[in-house]
């Protein structure tokens, strides 16, 4: 596999260099945010420390708010770059791409990417049962903050410590510009915490 990818601008480059547990990429439509996140998943998978069998294991969930958007935008973007040549894509829910890549250093990348639409209560329950390396939240402005909080609790659980644990784990997000009072602006520090929130709510 050869990927000739250059991040589309300084912001995307900074995003990919950042090692924070939770980080987000905001920009206009067509600015390459989704592709950057796809590349970041693959980059982290390749950088995962191999286990004793020389296998680099990782498992990611990719989240969108509805099933139609998941299939027509998020999965389409992923498959534009990572096709069936890299491993089997399962088209029954939950949609899953089982990626297997042999590297030049005689290690093998085993990456499992699970695509979830969180538009039903049972879908949220599926997320809470997963043991993951990381999560990508696509178009995060459409996702409630409570789901983002749930995402942070599922990362860092794969691979197991028996396989050396994850070299990096966390949540990455991308979004178009949200409303001014959206949680994105508040959490990023761009918008002051509303005065009507109690002290305890401000800490959530």
């Amino acid at each position: 596999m050869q990927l000739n990818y250059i991040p589309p601008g300084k912001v995307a480059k900074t995003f990919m260099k950042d090692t924070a547990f939770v980080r987000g990429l905001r920009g206009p439509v067509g600015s390459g945010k989704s592709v950057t996140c796809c590349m970041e998943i693959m980059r982290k998978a390749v950088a995962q420390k191999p286990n004793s069998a020389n296998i680099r294991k990782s498992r990611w969930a990719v989240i969108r708010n509805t099933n139609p958007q998941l299939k027509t935008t998020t999965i389409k973007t992923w498959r534009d770059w990572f096709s069936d040549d890299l491993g089997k894509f399962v088209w029954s829910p939950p949609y899953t791409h089982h990626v297997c890549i042999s590297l030049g250093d005689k290690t093998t990348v085993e990456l499992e990417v699970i695509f979830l639409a969180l538009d039903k209560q049972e879908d949220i329950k599926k997320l809470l049962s997963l043991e993951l390396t990381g999560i990508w939240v696509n178009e995060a402005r459409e996702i409630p903050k409570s789901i983002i909080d749930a995402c942070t609790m599922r990362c860092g659980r794969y691979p197991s410590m028996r396989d050396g644990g994850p070299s990096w784990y966390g949540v990455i997000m991308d979004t178009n510009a949200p409303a001014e009072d959206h949680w994105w602006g508040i959490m990023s520090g761009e918008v002051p915490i509303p005065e009507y929130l109690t002290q305890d709510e401000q800490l959530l």
Side-chain angles (χ1 to χ4, degrees):
M1 181 184 68
Q2 292 184 343
L3 289 177
N4 297 317
Y5 175 73
I6 299 175
K10 182 179 179 180
V11 173
K13 290 180 181 178
T14 301
F15 172 82
M16 296 188 78
K17 289 180 179 179
D18 198 328
T19 58
F21 174 58
V22 178
R23 55 197 156 112
L25 182 62
R26 186 185 69 189
V29 175
S31 59
K33 303 181 299 298
S34 295
V35 175
T36 297
C37 289
C38 289
M39 292 300 170
E40 184 64 355
I41 292 175
M42 187 59 69
R43 193 169 74 98
K44 292 300 187 188
V46 171
Q48 167 64 35
K49 183 179 178 180
N51 62 16
S52 59
N54 282 331
I55 298 174
R56 303 175 186 268
K57 291 185 174 183
S58 57
R59 179 185 296 135
W60 282 71
V62 177
I63 293 173
R64 190 70 192 254
N65 61 316
T66 69
N67 194 62
Q69 290 172 326
L70 182 72
K71 293 177 70 175
T72 60
T73 59
T74 312
I75 292 178
K76 182 179 184 304
T77 298
W78 174 265
R79 287 177 57 78
D80 281 346
W81 288 89
F82 308 119
S83 66
D84 291 337
D85 293 341
L86 302 182
K88 183 180 180 180
F89 195 100
V90 178
W91 278 106
S92 57
Y95 314 114
T96 306
H97 196 182
H98 299 276
V99 175
C100 185
I101 307 169
S102 296
L103 302 181
D105 62 358
K106 298 184 179 180
T107 63
T108 301
V109 174
E110 290 188 358
L111 167 64
E112 184 179 358
V113 185
I114 303 167
F115 297 85
L116 295 172
L118 298 186
D119 52 357
K120 298 178 182 178
Q121 187 62 36
E122 52 264 37
D123 294 325
I124 297 174
K125 291 179 181 178
K126 291 177 185 177
L127 170 65
L128 297 178
S129 67
L130 292 175
E131 307 290 319
L132 302 168
T133 308
I135 296 177
W136 165 31
V137 182
N138 184 216
E139 197 52 63
R141 69 176 181 176
E142 305 293 343
I143 303 294
K145 171 84 166 35
S146 59
I147 299 299
I148 305 300
D149 293 339
C151 288
T152 64
M153 294 185 287
R154 306 317 305 169
C155 298
R157 297 170 176 261
Y158 188 87
S160 67
M161 296 308 297
R162 184 177 61 253
D163 281 317
S167 298
W168 178 91
Y169 58 91
V171 178
I172 63 175
M173 303 179 286
D174 74 284
T175 191
N176 294 321
E180 185 175 339
D181 60 349
H182 191 272
W183 61 259
W184 181 287
I186 296 172
M187 297 304 295
S188 65
E190 298 175 342
V191 178
I193 298 175
E195 294 181 359
Y196 60 80
L197 292 181
T198 67
Q199 184 175 3
D200 288 341
E201 287 175 323
Q202 291 180 21
L203 295 175
L204 294 178

